[in-house]
Amino acid sequence: MTAMHTPTEPLVPPRSPGVAHDLRHHGDAEVRDAGADLVDLAVNVRAGTPPAWLRERVAASLGSLAAYPDGRAARRAVAARHGLPQECVLLTAGAAEAFVLLARFLPPPGSDAWRDGGPVVVHPQFTEPEAALLDAGHRVERVVLEERDGFRLDPARVPAGAAAVVVGNPTNPTSVLHPAPALTALARPGRTLVVDEAFIDAVPGERESLAGLVTELPGRTVVLRSLTKTWGLAGLRVGYVLSDPETVAALARHQPLWPVSSPALAAAEACCEPAALAEAERAAERTAADRAHLLGRLAEFGELGQATADPRAPFVLVRHADAAGLRERLRAEGIAVRRGDTFPGLDARWLRLAVRDRATTDRLARTLACLGVR
């Protein structure tokens, strides 16, 4: 029996009435200019980072600032970390730059490549990929996953003729970890499959990652990674792309000269060393335990519905009838949480909460009880 495809929603470029969600809103807006006393559950960067040893490595690189950045050592380190040739690695100024490069790399809008429709973005997910595609003039189509299905990916919902598909894993903000077979089912000749794995290093064992398969799947597979979340490097801007050598070379042609700074290169190299990888794995295991504690405390409040039966990322998505009001009341009590209505596929009932240590979670639970949440 032939699978039925759910109709996708075409979009027009930004600032048009056709775009209902604020794709440029990110969690940092919830805490900007708020002062040090605000408990940050809005931004998904691991608390207490970067560690001292990483700060020291970055600081040690400052003596070389007079020289132009040389990314060869960092590129080799990333390649070795994933068991890939270095030609399969492109270093970027964070994963956000990679989305812009991909939007420019794809065939131009209006070309024959898009005769069956524009690039597909699977939502709800991080909004920057769609924003970058729109800025490049692409007519984006959305495949919106359903709450009733736990926001899980069904590959049959993606149009068979889509020349490009973007999906997150684990997905921000739903915290769903899609099985690798569901993702590889999207790979096919003539298609560019982009998998945003910015949070995969917060999953113990990096389960379901496609990083090692970028040269093995049909079509073109592009995996994006970030060092921001686990290592607390949002201000340094460092990430990378994994793909086949031809794609990496083509993406690199869209970069300016020396796109990644020497301190960022030093951080990338350091975070790929065996001791760092072991520390990241321990951090992922702690996050899993802290997330279980958070879920247990949230279960005390029947008014808070959880979107994902088995969340696997360092954040959880919850539903409340008056989420906007609750968000403001929490903020008045010194706790910032991320609004969910800026994500396509979600509305004003949703909030995203970062996983923190048990003491912080217990403070959240006490505050919810004091606010009358039941």
Side-chain angles (χ1 to χ4, degrees), residues 321-354:
D322 182 27
L326 178 59
R327 172 173 155 267
E328 291 302 322
R329 287 185 288 151
L330 283 170
R331 187 179 182 84
E333 296 296 326
I335 298 176
V337 298
R338 170 66 155 91
R339 59 190 286 195
D341 61 336
T342 63
F343 294 97
L346 302 182
D347 56 28
R349 298 172 300 157
W350 296 96
L351 298 171
R352 192 191 69 195
L353 312 177

mmCIF file of all heavy atoms in Angstrom, residues 321-354:
data_model
loop_
_atom_site.group_PDB
_atom_site.id
_atom_site.type_symbol
_atom_site.label_atom_id
_atom_site.label_comp_id
_atom_site.label_asym_id
_atom_site.label_seq_id
_atom_site.Cartn_x
_atom_site.Cartn_y
_atom_site.Cartn_z
ATOM 1 N N ALA A 321 -2.169 25.224 30.178
ATOM 2 C CA ALA A 321 -3.255 25.991 29.555
ATOM 3 C C ALA A 321 -2.939 27.482 29.504
ATOM 4 O O ALA A 321 -3.342 28.176 28.562
ATOM 5 C CB ALA A 321 -4.561 25.744 30.323
ATOM 6 N N ASP A 322 -2.227 27.988 30.501
ATOM 7 C CA ASP A 322 -1.837 29.402 30.526
ATOM 8 C C ASP A 322 -0.311 29.484 30.602
ATOM 9 O O ASP A 322 0.249 30.056 31.539
ATOM 10 C CB ASP A 322 -2.478 30.113 31.713
ATOM 11 C CG ASP A 322 -2.139 31.605 31.753
ATOM 12 O OD1 ASP A 322 -1.867 32.184 30.672
ATOM 13 O OD2 ASP A 322 -2.123 32.179 32.854
ATOM 14 N N ALA A 323 0.353 28.913 29.590
ATOM 15 C CA ALA A 323 1.814 28.869 29.613
ATOM 16 C C ALA A 323 2.416 30.269 29.613
ATOM 17 O O ALA A 323 3.418 30.523 30.302
ATOM 18 C CB ALA A 323 2.334 28.067 28.420
ATOM 19 N N ALA A 324 1.834 31.187 28.857
ATOM 20 C CA ALA A 324 2.388 32.542 28.805
ATOM 21 C C ALA A 324 2.309 33.211 30.171
ATOM 22 O O ALA A 324 3.275 33.840 30.631
ATOM 23 C CB ALA A 324 1.650 33.370 27.754
ATOM 24 N N GLY A 325 1.164 33.061 30.831
ATOM 25 C CA GLY A 325 1.026 33.638 32.161
ATOM 26 C C GLY A 325 1.937 32.974 33.165
ATOM 27 O O GLY A 325 2.550 33.638 34.019
ATOM 28 N N LEU A 326 2.069 31.650 33.079
ATOM 29 C CA LEU A 326 2.947 30.926 33.992
ATOM 30 C C LEU A 326 4.392 31.350 33.789
ATOM 31 O O LEU A 326 5.145 31.513 34.755
ATOM 32 C CB LEU A 326 2.783 29.424 33.781
ATOM 33 C CG LEU A 326 3.680 28.519 34.636
ATOM 34 C CD1 LEU A 326 3.446 28.771 36.122
ATOM 35 C CD2 LEU A 326 3.442 27.049 34.287
ATOM 36 N N ARG A 327 4.782 31.529 32.558
ATOM 37 C CA ARG A 327 6.147 31.973 32.264
ATOM 38 C C ARG A 327 6.440 33.316 32.916
ATOM 39 O O ARG A 327 7.508 33.522 33.504
ATOM 40 C CB ARG A 327 6.324 32.046 30.750
ATOM 41 C CG ARG A 327 7.616 32.679 30.275
ATOM 42 C CD ARG A 327 7.727 32.525 28.763
ATOM 43 N NE ARG A 327 8.569 33.541 28.171
ATOM 44 C CZ ARG A 327 8.143 34.702 27.685
ATOM 45 N NH1 ARG A 327 6.839 34.983 27.709
ATOM 46 N NH2 ARG A 327 8.961 35.573 27.173
ATOM 47 N N GLU A 328 5.486 34.231 32.834
ATOM 48 C CA GLU A 328 5.690 35.547 33.446
ATOM 49 C C GLU A 328 5.727 35.449 34.969
ATOM 50 O O GLU A 328 6.510 36.141 35.629
ATOM 51 C CB GLU A 328 4.594 36.509 32.991
ATOM 52 C CG GLU A 328 4.670 36.885 31.519
ATOM 53 C CD GLU A 328 6.000 37.529 31.162
ATOM 54 O OE1 GLU A 328 6.521 38.318 31.989
ATOM 55 O OE2 GLU A 328 6.527 37.261 30.063
ATOM 56 N N ARG A 329 4.877 34.612 35.534
ATOM 57 C CA ARG A 329 4.872 34.466 36.993
ATOM 58 C C ARG A 329 6.149 33.810 37.492
ATOM 59 O O ARG A 329 6.684 34.193 38.539
ATOM 60 C CB ARG A 329 3.644 33.664 37.422
ATOM 61 C CG ARG A 329 2.333 34.447 37.306
ATOM 62 C CD ARG A 329 1.163 33.668 37.842
ATOM 63 N NE ARG A 329 0.801 32.566 36.981
ATOM 64 C CZ ARG A 329 0.242 31.431 37.371
ATOM 65 N NH1 ARG A 329 0.004 31.226 38.669
ATOM 66 N NH2 ARG A 329 -0.074 30.499 36.510
ATOM 67 N N LEU A 330 6.662 32.835 36.734
ATOM 68 C CA LEU A 330 7.941 32.234 37.107
ATOM 69 C C LEU A 330 9.069 33.268 37.037
ATOM 70 O O LEU A 330 9.946 33.310 37.909
ATOM 71 C CB LEU A 330 8.248 31.053 36.185
ATOM 72 C CG LEU A 330 7.489 29.763 36.460
ATOM 73 C CD1 LEU A 330 7.703 28.768 35.313
ATOM 74 C CD2 LEU A 330 7.934 29.138 37.781
ATOM 75 N N ARG A 331 9.024 34.080 36.012
ATOM 76 C CA ARG A 331 10.057 35.105 35.881
ATOM 77 C C ARG A 331 10.019 36.078 37.062
ATOM 78 O O ARG A 331 11.068 36.491 37.568
ATOM 79 C CB ARG A 331 9.872 35.850 34.560
ATOM 80 C CG ARG A 331 10.997 36.832 34.260
ATOM 81 C CD ARG A 331 10.775 37.520 32.922
ATOM 82 N NE ARG A 331 11.861 38.431 32.615
ATOM 83 C CZ ARG A 331 13.014 38.063 32.055
ATOM 84 N NH1 ARG A 331 13.218 36.803 31.737
ATOM 85 N NH2 ARG A 331 13.959 38.960 31.821
ATOM 86 N N ALA A 332 8.827 36.435 37.494
ATOM 87 C CA ALA A 332 8.701 37.323 38.650
ATOM 88 C C ALA A 332 9.282 36.691 39.911
ATOM 89 O O ALA A 332 9.707 37.399 40.835
ATOM 90 C CB ALA A 332 7.235 37.687 38.861
ATOM 91 N N GLU A 333 9.322 35.353 39.921
ATOM 92 C CA GLU A 333 9.902 34.626 41.053
ATOM 93 C C GLU A 333 11.377 34.285 40.823
ATOM 94 O O GLU A 333 11.970 33.550 41.612
ATOM 95 C CB GLU A 333 9.113 33.337 41.308
ATOM 96 C CG GLU A 333 7.672 33.563 41.716
ATOM 97 C CD GLU A 333 7.561 34.289 43.050
ATOM 98 O OE1 GLU A 333 8.431 34.056 43.922
ATOM 99 O OE2 GLU A 333 6.625 35.087 43.211
ATOM 100 N N GLY A 334 11.944 34.807 39.733
ATOM 101 C CA GLY A 334 13.378 34.631 39.504
ATOM 102 C C GLY A 334 13.756 33.427 38.676
ATOM 103 O O GLY A 334 14.922 33.014 38.692
ATOM 104 N N ILE A 335 12.819 32.853 37.918
ATOM 105 C CA ILE A 335 13.103 31.667 37.112
ATOM 106 C C ILE A 335 12.696 31.949 35.665
ATOM 107 O O ILE A 335 11.539 32.287 35.389
ATOM 108 C CB ILE A 335 12.354 30.428 37.637
ATOM 109 C CG1 ILE A 335 12.800 30.105 39.060
ATOM 110 C CG2 ILE A 335 12.574 29.229 36.721
ATOM 111 C CD1 ILE A 335 12.040 28.958 39.696
ATOM 112 N N ALA A 336 13.632 31.790 34.743
ATOM 113 C CA ALA A 336 13.360 32.012 33.322
ATOM 114 C C ALA A 336 13.162 30.687 32.613
ATOM 115 O O ALA A 336 13.971 29.762 32.768
ATOM 116 C CB ALA A 336 14.510 32.772 32.672
ATOM 117 N N VAL A 337 12.084 30.571 31.838
ATOM 118 C CA VAL A 337 11.836 29.393 31.016
ATOM 119 C C VAL A 337 11.597 29.859 29.583
ATOM 120 O O VAL A 337 11.320 31.034 29.336
ATOM 121 C CB VAL A 337 10.640 28.563 31.529
ATOM 122 C CG1 VAL A 337 10.909 28.053 32.933
ATOM 123 C CG2 VAL A 337 9.352 29.379 31.487
ATOM 124 N N ARG A 338 11.718 28.940 28.646
ATOM 125 C CA ARG A 338 11.647 29.278 27.215
ATOM 126 C C ARG A 338 10.220 29.143 26.707
ATOM 127 O O ARG A 338 9.593 28.084 26.862
ATOM 128 C CB ARG A 338 12.586 28.345 26.451
ATOM 129 C CG ARG A 338 12.481 28.373 24.915
ATOM 130 C CD ARG A 338 12.923 29.692 24.325
ATOM 131 N NE ARG A 338 13.379 29.551 22.940
ATOM 132 C CZ ARG A 338 12.604 29.682 21.856
ATOM 133 N NH1 ARG A 338 11.302 29.897 21.992
ATOM 134 N NH2 ARG A 338 13.132 29.569 20.655
ATOM 135 N N ARG A 339 9.691 30.192 26.104
ATOM 136 C CA ARG A 339 8.373 30.111 25.482
ATOM 137 C C ARG A 339 8.444 29.150 24.298
ATOM 138 O O ARG A 339 9.454 29.038 23.619
ATOM 139 C CB ARG A 339 7.908 31.491 25.026
ATOM 140 C CG ARG A 339 8.849 32.136 24.038
ATOM 141 C CD ARG A 339 8.504 33.591 23.772
ATOM 142 N NE ARG A 339 7.312 33.701 22.929
ATOM 143 C CZ ARG A 339 6.971 34.835 22.326
ATOM 144 N NH1 ARG A 339 7.687 35.935 22.502
ATOM 145 N NH2 ARG A 339 5.897 34.866 21.557
ATOM 146 N N GLY A 340 7.337 28.455 24.030
ATOM 147 C CA GLY A 340 7.326 27.472 22.956
ATOM 148 C C GLY A 340 6.618 27.911 21.698
ATOM 149 O O GLY A 340 6.740 27.259 20.658
ATOM 150 N N ASP A 341 5.915 29.039 21.747
ATOM 151 C CA ASP A 341 5.071 29.394 20.611
ATOM 152 C C ASP A 341 5.841 29.960 19.429
ATOM 153 O O ASP A 341 5.249 30.232 18.386
ATOM 154 C CB ASP A 341 3.991 30.382 21.041
ATOM 155 C CG ASP A 341 4.557 31.685 21.589
ATOM 156 O OD1 ASP A 341 5.710 31.691 22.057
ATOM 157 O OD2 ASP A 341 3.845 32.708 21.559
ATOM 158 N N THR A 342 7.148 30.122 19.535
ATOM 159 C CA THR A 342 7.936 30.572 18.388
ATOM 160 C C THR A 342 8.368 29.411 17.502
ATOM 161 O O THR A 342 8.950 29.631 16.439
ATOM 162 C CB THR A 342 9.173 31.363 18.841
ATOM 163 O OG1 THR A 342 10.033 30.503 19.600
ATOM 164 C CG2 THR A 342 8.773 32.556 19.694
ATOM 165 N N PHE A 343 8.109 28.186 17.943
ATOM 166 C CA PHE A 343 8.445 27.003 17.157
ATOM 167 C C PHE A 343 7.253 26.603 16.285
ATOM 168 O O PHE A 343 6.154 26.369 16.811
ATOM 169 C CB PHE A 343 8.801 25.819 18.062
ATOM 170 C CG PHE A 343 10.057 25.997 18.855
ATOM 171 C CD1 PHE A 343 10.009 26.428 20.171
ATOM 172 C CD2 PHE A 343 11.294 25.709 18.290
ATOM 173 C CE1 PHE A 343 11.170 26.581 20.916
ATOM 174 C CE2 PHE A 343 12.453 25.862 19.020
ATOM 175 C CZ PHE A 343 12.396 26.304 20.336
ATOM 176 N N PRO A 344 7.401 26.529 14.964
ATOM 177 C CA PRO A 344 6.310 26.036 14.126
ATOM 178 C C PRO A 344 5.837 24.664 14.596
ATOM 179 O O PRO A 344 6.642 23.782 14.901
ATOM 180 C CB PRO A 344 6.948 25.959 12.742
ATOM 181 C CG PRO A 344 8.003 27.013 12.759
ATOM 182 C CD PRO A 344 8.565 26.961 14.160
ATOM 183 N N GLY A 345 4.538 24.519 14.684
ATOM 184 C CA GLY A 345 3.952 23.281 15.182
ATOM 185 C C GLY A 345 3.547 23.358 16.639
ATOM 186 O O GLY A 345 2.837 22.482 17.132
ATOM 187 N N LEU A 346 3.986 24.416 17.340
ATOM 188 C CA LEU A 346 3.596 24.630 18.730
ATOM 189 C C LEU A 346 2.811 25.932 18.834
ATOM 190 O O LEU A 346 2.830 26.755 17.932
ATOM 191 C CB LEU A 346 4.828 24.677 19.639
ATOM 192 C CG LEU A 346 5.736 23.447 19.631
ATOM 193 C CD1 LEU A 346 6.881 23.633 20.617
ATOM 194 C CD2 LEU A 346 4.959 22.172 19.956
ATOM 195 N N ASP A 347 2.151 26.108 19.976
ATOM 196 C CA ASP A 347 1.388 27.327 20.196
ATOM 197 C C ASP A 347 1.679 27.849 21.590
ATOM 198 O O ASP A 347 2.639 27.432 22.239
ATOM 199 C CB ASP A 347 -0.109 27.080 19.964
ATOM 200 C CG ASP A 347 -0.664 25.951 20.829
ATOM 201 O OD1 ASP A 347 -0.117 25.721 21.936
ATOM 202 O OD2 ASP A 347 -1.637 25.293 20.416
ATOM 203 N N ALA A 348 0.844 28.755 22.053
ATOM 204 C CA ALA A 348 1.111 29.459 23.308
ATOM 205 C C ALA A 348 0.939 28.585 24.543
ATOM 206 O O ALA A 348 1.138 29.058 25.664
ATOM 207 C CB ALA A 348 0.206 30.686 23.412
ATOM 208 N N ARG A 349 0.603 27.310 24.359
ATOM 209 C CA ARG A 349 0.456 26.418 25.529
ATOM 210 C C ARG A 349 1.763 25.775 25.953
ATOM 211 O O ARG A 349 1.788 25.069 26.970
ATOM 212 C CB ARG A 349 -0.537 25.302 25.206
ATOM 213 C CG ARG A 349 -1.952 25.757 24.882
ATOM 214 C CD ARG A 349 -2.771 24.578 24.391
ATOM 215 N NE ARG A 349 -2.179 24.006 23.191
ATOM 216 C CZ ARG A 349 -2.377 22.755 22.775
ATOM 217 N NH1 ARG A 349 -3.129 21.936 23.495
ATOM 218 N NH2 ARG A 349 -1.823 22.325 21.664
ATOM 219 N N TRP A 350 2.848 26.006 25.235
ATOM 220 C CA TRP A 350 4.059 25.212 25.437
ATOM 221 C C TRP A 350 5.195 26.009 26.072
ATOM 222 O O TRP A 350 5.376 27.202 25.788
ATOM 223 C CB TRP A 350 4.532 24.641 24.101
ATOM 224 C CG TRP A 350 3.559 23.685 23.497
ATOM 225 C CD1 TRP A 350 2.615 23.966 22.551
ATOM 226 C CD2 TRP A 350 3.410 22.306 23.815
ATOM 227 N NE1 TRP A 350 1.891 22.832 22.249
ATOM 228 C CE2 TRP A 350 2.361 21.800 23.009
ATOM 229 C CE3 TRP A 350 4.061 21.443 24.688
ATOM 230 C CZ2 TRP A 350 1.951 20.467 23.066
ATOM 231 C CZ3 TRP A 350 3.656 20.116 24.742
ATOM 232 C CH2 TRP A 350 2.617 19.642 23.940
ATOM 233 N N LEU A 351 5.974 25.313 26.905
ATOM 234 C CA LEU A 351 7.182 25.859 27.524
ATOM 235 C C LEU A 351 8.290 24.812 27.438
ATOM 236 O O LEU A 351 8.037 23.617 27.556
ATOM 237 C CB LEU A 351 6.954 26.206 28.994
ATOM 238 C CG LEU A 351 5.906 27.269 29.318
ATOM 239 C CD1 LEU A 351 5.656 27.312 30.815
ATOM 240 C CD2 LEU A 351 6.349 28.640 28.811
ATOM 241 N N ARG A 352 9.518 25.289 27.248
ATOM 242 C CA ARG A 352 10.680 24.389 27.280
ATOM 243 C C ARG A 352 11.498 24.689 28.519
ATOM 244 O O ARG A 352 11.780 25.844 28.826
ATOM 245 C CB ARG A 352 11.540 24.599 26.031
ATOM 246 C CG ARG A 352 12.612 23.526 25.830
ATOM 247 C CD ARG A 352 13.590 23.942 24.748
ATOM 248 N NE ARG A 352 14.409 25.078 25.189
ATOM 249 C CZ ARG A 352 15.140 25.829 24.373
ATOM 250 N NH1 ARG A 352 15.142 25.608 23.067
ATOM 251 N NH2 ARG A 352 15.864 26.833 24.856
ATOM 252 N N LEU A 353 11.884 23.617 29.220
ATOM 253 C CA LEU A 353 12.644 23.744 30.465
ATOM 254 C C LEU A 353 13.983 23.029 30.313
ATOM 255 O O LEU A 353 14.025 21.840 29.978
ATOM 256 C CB LEU A 353 11.881 23.124 31.637
ATOM 257 C CG LEU A 353 10.402 23.503 31.813
ATOM 258 C CD1 LEU A 353 9.813 22.730 32.975
ATOM 259 C CD2 LEU A 353 10.256 24.996 32.026
ATOM 260 N N ALA A 354 15.069 23.716 30.597
ATOM 261 C CA ALA A 354 16.382 23.077 30.568
ATOM 262 C C ALA A 354 16.547 22.173 31.782
ATOM 263 O O ALA A 354 16.029 22.460 32.872
ATOM 264 C CB ALA A 354 17.480 24.135 30.547
#
